[in-house]
Structure formats: C-alpha cells, structure tokens
Amino acid sequence: MTKVIMNGCNGKMGQCITQICAGDEDIEIVAGIDTYTGIQNEYPVFASLNECNISADVIIDFSSADGADALLDYCCRHKLPVVLCTTGLSEEQLKKTEQAYEKTAVLKSANMSLGINTLLELLRKAALVFAPAGFDMEIVEKHHNQKLDAPSGTALALADSMNEALGETYTYKYDRSQDRKKRDRYEIGISAVRGGNIVGEHDVIFAGQDEVITFQHTAYSKAVFAKGAVEAAKFLKGKPAGHYDMADVIAAK
C-alpha cells in the first residue's frame, strides 16, 4: 500500500486523484493540503505542509507554482519523494528542482499521461526511420481557449523526443506567416490551436512524397493525467534520491 499526501487536494486534479485512489486498493491518500476548505474529504486536510503531522510514502503535487519552493524545501528536509505535476515553474524554481534531485526522489514529466509518454518512445523510433528517408515532421496541438502557453509543453516534448533521436539536428518552426519561402527540410513545424474546451489533442505528422503517417493522442478528460500521477506515486515509493519521469514508470511495468 502506497500512502500519499495530496498537495492541492481540493483543486480539480486533486479531487480527480482522490476519486481514483478511493477505488484503488494499492494506494491511499492519508492527508491533503489545501488552503480551500469548502470540500469534505475522507482524509484530514491541512492548510500547509508544515501543519501536516501524518507520515506518508509520497507526495502528489497538483497545486500552483507559488507554493513550489515550500514544497521542495519540505520534501528535501523530510527526504520525502514527490510527484511534481505543477506547471509554470520559474527558471529559479526549475534550478531548485534540479538541486532537489540530490536529496530526494522527484518525478517530473512534461505530461503525466501514460499514453503521451508511450507515444514519446514510439516517435523516437519513427523519426529514425522516416527522417532519413526525407519525410517532413509536423506537430499540430489543440487545447482549450483558457490555456496560456503556446505551443504546449507536451508538443515541445514530442518534438524533443524526435530531435534527440536524430542528434539535435533539427530546428523548431512555430510560425510561417512571415516567411515567403519553402519549408526547410531540417525543421519540425509546431502549430497551436486554441478553442472551446478541448482538453488536449496532439497530432504528429510524418509527410513523405507519396504517403503520410500520423500519430495522434487525444485526451478526453483530465483523468488521464490523474491516472498517470497515481501510477507515478506507486512507482516512486521507496526510490532513492534522483530525477525520474514517466518513461521510468512505463519501463517498470
């Protein structure tokens, strides 16, 4: 049984993870952290980590960047593994996260979905086949109209997976509207669509002379990210200090 502290327990993702854990006999949320107390949970909720007096194996964090420093300090001090899902960290916080790898186990991925992280592995192999054969590589990502960043972190991770496999030889092209020239062979185009309540859709296109191969991942709800975080917490229990990601979770299955 993996015992978890849910940081940000009363947010949308925190409540989604709470429901998943309630139906999973291999994991239990023993405490929650949230400044909002308008939701009744089956576990005790504290306003801050420093107020929490309940021991656990792992923290799952789906809170906000504002609390990342305190979270990392707490985990390093208590040598408590953390699944770090909060996005929008500053450069200083990213550096602090890297320093935390030396003191405790930290699992941090651009996307917590098991599907996306499996797709990353498939794209590495596909790029090694199609790119040398002259196929152009394009990514189209779609998200809801409230998303602030473009392109998405997931789209960049998909591009990185292909580029790393090819020896970092490709540049990324985000906007062609100002360029009156044909496409450079050694580029990966990334296009962003924002509209409605699209949870997340990513198409990776390998376009050749006479054939097109498309890899697509569609998230129909945020539950796919919550499920990934739960599996990550189970994996991280008892792990030594270091940096882990979802590829490690998948490899261990």
Side-chain angles (χ1 to χ4, degrees), residues 65-66 68-69 72 88-97:
D66 293 339
D69 293 291
L72 291 169
L89 302 182
S90 66
E91 288 298 323
E92 292 75 15
Q93 289 172 324
L94 291 173
K95 290 179 182 177
K96 190 166 187 174
T97 302

Side-chain angles (χ1 to χ4, degrees), residues 9-11 15 32-41 44-48 51:
C9 64
N10 287 338
Q15 285 298 292
I33 311 296
D34 210 300
T35 54
Y36 175 66
T37 58
I39 296 177
Q40 197 71 28
N41 294 291
V45 177
F46 302 88
S48 71
E51 296 179 23

Side-chain angles (χ1 to χ4, degrees), residues 33-250:
I33 311 296
D34 210 300
T35 54
Y36 175 66
T37 58
I39 296 177
Q40 197 71 28
N41 294 291
E42 295 297 321
Y43 47 81
V45 177
F46 302 88
S48 71
L49 277 167
N50 289 328
E51 296 179 23
C52 181
N53 58 1
I54 298 176
S55 61
D57 300 308
V58 183
I59 290 180
I60 297 178
D61 171 62
F62 262 111
S63 56
S64 68
D66 293 339
D69 293 291
L71 169 71
L72 291 169
D73 288 341
Y74 182 91
C75 291
C76 289
R77 187 165 63 250
H78 293 274
K79 301 294 188 289
L80 185 60
V82 56
V83 179
L84 185 61
C85 303
T86 294
T87 58
L89 302 182
S90 66
E91 288 298 323
E92 292 75 15
Q93 289 172 324
L94 291 173
K95 290 179 182 177
K96 190 166 187 174
T97 302
E98 292 178 357
Q99 294 169 354
Y101 299 158
E102 301 176 4
K103 299 180 180 180
T104 190
V106 180
L107 192 147
K108 184 179 183 299
S109 281
N111 188 298
M112 297 304 297
S113 159
L114 292 171
I116 282 290
N117 283 277
T118 302
L119 178 58
L120 291 171
E121 291 297 321
L122 294 173
L123 290 178
R124 291 186 183 98
K125 297 177 181 178
L128 290 173
V129 173
F130 297 126
F135 282 66
D136 296 322
M137 297 181 290
E138 294 283 322
I139 298 172
V140 180
E141 57 99 341
K142 305 172 187 177
H143 285 87
H144 53 85
N145 58 20
Q146 301 300 303
K147 188 171 180 60
L148 301 179
D149 56 320
S152 67
T154 298
L156 292 173
L158 295 171
D160 287 343
S161 69
M162 296 186 290
N163 207 4
E164 288 167 5
L166 297 168
E168 303 286 354
T169 54
Y170 283 69
T171 59
Y172 300 161
K173 190 69 174 179
Y174 305 116
D175 181 14
R176 294 194 177 91
S177 63
Q178 303 302 313
D179 292 340
R180 305 294 296 178
K181 63 180 182 180
K182 69 176 186 178
R183 186 189 195 282
D184 182 354
R185 174 180 174 179
Y186 294 99
E187 72 181 30
I188 300 174
I190 306 177
S191 303
V193 176
R194 296 289 175 266
N197 62 348
I198 302 171
V199 175
E201 184 175 310
H202 294 83
D203 290 344
V204 183
I205 303 163
F206 293 90
Q209 292 301 311
D210 299 295
E211 59 182 333
V212 175
I213 299 92
T214 301
F215 291 82
Q216 183 182 79
H217 178 274
T218 301
Y220 292 103
S221 78
K222 292 184 177 181
V224 298
F225 312 119
K227 291 175 183 176
V230 169
E231 293 303 313
K234 294 178 187 177
F235 165 83
L236 206 59
K237 176 185 176 181
K239 290 292 186 295
H243 176 212
Y244 302 86
D245 59 27
M246 289 302 292
D248 298 310
V249 179
I250 293 171

